[in-house]
Amino acid sequence: MPRPRQITIIWQLLMESSVKGKHIVLGITGGIAAYKSVTLLRLLVKNGAEVQVVITPSGKEFITPVTLSALSGKPVVSEFFTANTGEWHSHVDLGLWADLMVIAPATASTIGKMANGIADNMLVTTYLSAKEHVMIAPAMDLDMMAHPSTSRNLALLRQDGVEIIEPAAGELASHLIGKGRMEEPENIFRRIEEYFAGERKMAGKKVAITAGPTYEKLDPVRFIGNYSTGKMGLALAEEFADAGADVTLICGPVSLKTDNPKIRRIDVESAEEMLKASEEPFAKADIGIFAAAVADYRPESRADSKIKREGVEDMSLKLVKNPDIAATLAAKKRDGQQFIGFALETDHAHENAAAKLKKKNLDAVVLNSLQDKGAGFGTDTNKITILCADGSEKTYPLKSKREVARDIIDFIGRVNAAR
Ligand code: CTP
């Protein structure tokens, strides 16, 4: 029987907020909603987070640094130097110190500067040095929110992995009614708690992911390939790493970079190379994801020197089948391993995806249909349905690829919890 003091300790641990002990940079910009940031700051500090406030010069027109430093227990940073002492504030150190950066409220101007790298104040400079996750809670008038320039900048930020906490609809500072009101501080706090709770979700898990296209060489200068850019696979790798997993990414030729130190990346070119490089990481993985758009066929032979056209009127190519990486590796699946494939379909989408799930011995298939606008190769968004081997399925709305990656991770987490 646990004694009363032990019960108290267990209860305290259960009740402890996931923000406890976390280092958070809270960015505040010049909008009416800045007054709500005080509540957010209080919630963070009360629940044990260490918060460094960075405020833009116009933010100070709305809320005084004195209030913010009293609540956070730290001097508020706004300029590159402290005027009277000349002390330099290092945005690089702040970026490294932070476990999370939250900008609330984020005005249209700050969003534009962040999207375009205009580092003319301490806040945007800190953002550019931030290594960890960044969330922004936009707040502006409805016309500004609806302007194509704001949508464009938000889309760029999403693409860069920034999480947007969508503004709510309601009465705005202008007394107009519409979308643009900053999300309530309690809800932003809840999202921050969820983020840190999720960070531990995949801790200790080994994850292997194939991504991008494969190139099948015809001669030294030509290949057969496809339009895959690897965005979905890389977004998954980033999100799994953020959730604490140990990720190996086996990637076909893509121009995207991965600078997350928690991702081990193996670059390959052809389907045969991808299979070879995937054998070991998938054998060791708890979770395996096949997000690559593998070329199903390759030229039967490859010329060692450039194929010349002189004297050749027409040409036909003999293609031979490539290995099916997902089917080959899933045939060796051990108990407890979870393997998930993708299915990009143009027609009979559901039927085809269900058939792939079965045929390839997968635990789930993420279906994206080219019939859906915004889904498929090269886009920053995706619209998916997850089909599970037990017959259950879930359809999601159109989202950014990073958000889709989070949905897939949540889905896997829920399946595991139910086991
Ligand atoms: N896949 C694979 N190796 C291949 C072909 C596909 O690993 N040679 C994987 C993909 O990464 C994806 C799943 O299998 O997770 C389904 O891929 P898809 O291209 O949709 O299906 P195919 O099996 O190639 O069938 P088809 O192209 O005829 O639709």
Side-chain angles (χ1 to χ4, degrees), residues 25-29 37 52-56 101-106 123:
V25 167
L26 174 61
I28 300 178
T29 71
S37 309
Q52 174 62 61
V53 176
V54 181
I55 193 165
T56 60
M101 182 168 186
V102 184
I103 303 179
L123 180 60

Side-chain angles (χ1 to χ4, degrees), residues 9-64:
I9 292 170
I10 294 168
W11 180 245
Q12 274 169 352
L13 282 172
L14 286 174
M15 294 305 289
E16 213 161 68
S17 167
S18 61
V19 306
K20 187 162 189 239
K22 296 291 179 188
H23 294 171
I24 298 173
V25 167
L26 174 61
I28 300 178
T29 71
I32 286 285
Y35 77 92
K36 293 189 191 174
S37 309
V38 174
T39 309
L40 178 59
L41 174 59
R42 277 198 58 222
L43 283 167
L44 289 168
V45 172
K46 205 174 107 200
N47 285 282
E50 222 181 294
V51 184
Q52 174 62 61
V53 176
V54 181
I55 193 165
T56 60
S58 63
K60 288 193 279 187
E61 311 272 336
F62 290 85
I63 183 132
T64 86

Side-chain angles (χ1 to χ4, degrees), residues 148-221:
S149 133
T150 308
S151 311
R152 223 173 19 244
N153 288 330
L154 285 172
L156 281 174
L157 289 182
R158 278 200 186 92
Q159 197 178 317
D160 293 340
V162 173
E163 180 176 344
I164 319 288
I165 303 175
E166 288 295 333
E171 189 179 349
L172 304 166
S174 59
H175 302 299
L176 293 170
I177 311 265
K179 189 176 170 185
R181 207 168 70 174
M182 187 177 93
E183 181 55 282
E184 292 306 322
E186 291 78 7
N187 293 341
I188 300 177
F189 174 71
R190 220 164 289 141
R191 175 58 206 131
I192 296 171
E193 272 198 314
E194 263 172 34
Y195 170 74
F196 284 119
E199 198 193 29
R200 296 191 287 260
K201 214 163 34 192
M202 290 290 160
K205 295 271 183 218
K206 285 196 172 60
V207 177
I209 302 172
T210 66
T214 65
Y215 285 1
E216 312 296 330
K217 267 197 177 136
L218 282 162
D219 71 9
V221 294

Side-chain angles (χ1 to χ4, degrees), residues 210-212 214 271 274-275 289-297 321-329 340-346 352-353 356-357 359-360 362 364-366 368 377:
T210 66
T214 65
M274 188 175 272
L275 175 60
I289 309 224
F290 303 99
V294 185
D296 290 327
Y297 296 89
K321 229 178 190 160
N322 260 335
D324 186 320
I325 300 171
T328 310
L329 300 180
I340 292 144
F342 272 75
L344 179 62
E345 303 292 343
T346 50
N352 286 336
K356 282 176 191 170
L357 174 71
K359 203 171 94 198
K360 301 191 189 212
L362 297 168
V365 159
V366 180
N368 29 166
F377 288 159

